[in-house]
Amino acid sequence: YQRRVHGEADFQTDPRFQQLGEGLRFVLAWMKDEGMMDMLPYVRSGFVELMDEEQNQIRAVVRMAKDDPATLKKAQEEVKSFYKGSAQVRFETEIQPELVDGYIFEVDGRYVNKSHSATAAVAEGAAAAQGKQTDWTALPQLPAVRKPQTPPELMKLGALLDDLIAANGVEAKVYA
């Protein structure tokens, strides 16, 4: 298999890949040859999940607006109180400047938003609910529905098709 041998040469000679097993180098070469290197983050994610399971760990991702140790500690404490499983929690942090304040965390397939933007949205929704109520009984009148008009040419064509269908039926009976 010519393409595989060509692709494996890079992984065989590059010193960064020497500590990897032969099977993994083969898969990387195959992915490179098939133009699938953009899928590596997904492969890595799956590999990390398998390793976490093997080591009885669970991954918790904490997203914050800025690198703030006090916010991180608060988020870690909340994650530990939130997650009741037996696995050891392994924390990863991501900085997302679009968050104004607070944090968002994801653990064990659950997502908790404690950011300022979420707090502001809840407060705004509560204020709107206490304010003006929508009166659903006073909806505006619907516009009159106009009945479609069939053009005369289409009516003639329909009549001709009906005649052809009838003539075909007669011919079928006569020649049957």
Side-chain angles (χ1 to χ4, degrees):
Y1 183 70
Q2 188 65 25
R3 288 175 43 188
R4 186 179 73 213
V5 171
H6 171 71
E8 280 182 350
D10 297 337
F11 293 104
Q12 295 292 347
T13 59
D14 194 327
R16 294 176 296 172
F17 299 103
Q18 292 304 308
Q19 70 271 14
L20 300 177
E22 185 178 336
L24 183 55
R25 287 195 307 252
F26 173 81
V27 169
L28 289 172
W30 174 77
M31 288 179 70
K32 179 182 175 215
D33 287 345
E34 296 300 320
M36 297 171 57
M37 294 306 280
D38 57 336
M39 301 295 284
L40 273 178
Y42 302 108
V43 172
R44 181 191 178 281
S45 174
F47 179 74
V48 167
E49 275 186 46
L50 290 172
M51 291 303 296
D52 284 348
E53 187 176 319
E54 179 68 27
Q55 297 171 355
N56 196 28
Q57 291 183 346
I58 189 160
R59 178 175 158 243
V61 179
V62 178
R63 295 172 180 90
M64 305 181 303
K66 55 186 177 275
D67 191 12
D68 178 24
T71 304
L72 179 59
K73 184 176 180 180
K74 184 178 175 184
Q76 287 176 338
E77 289 171 0
E78 187 168 353
V79 166
K80 287 177 183 175
S81 68
F82 183 79
Y83 175 68
K84 302 295 183 195
S86 63
Q88 179 185 356
V89 179
R90 181 176 54 82
F91 288 96
E92 291 181 12
T93 57
E94 294 179 7
I95 304 302
Q96 293 185 346
E98 60 270 10
L99 296 175
V100 177
D101 194 19
Y103 54 89
I104 298 171
F105 69 83
E106 182 179 355
V107 63
D108 198 24
R110 289 177 270 173
Y111 182 85
V112 177
N113 189 346
K114 298 282 185 158
S115 68
H116 176 71
S117 57
T119 308
V122 168
E124 183 179 306
Q130 291 175 353
K132 183 180 174 187
Q133 295 291 322
T134 304
D135 181 11
W136 294 104
T137 61
L139 294 174
Q141 182 77 19
L142 286 175
V145 179
R146 200 176 64 130
K147 187 175 181 180
Q149 296 290 327
T150 307
E153 295 83 17
L154 194 56
M155 295 291 285
K156 287 180 186 176
L157 180 61
L160 285 172
L161 287 174
D162 288 342
D163 289 346
L164 284 173
I165 291 170
N168 191 31
V170 169
E171 279 184 17
K173 287 180 184 177
V174 169
Y175 296 111

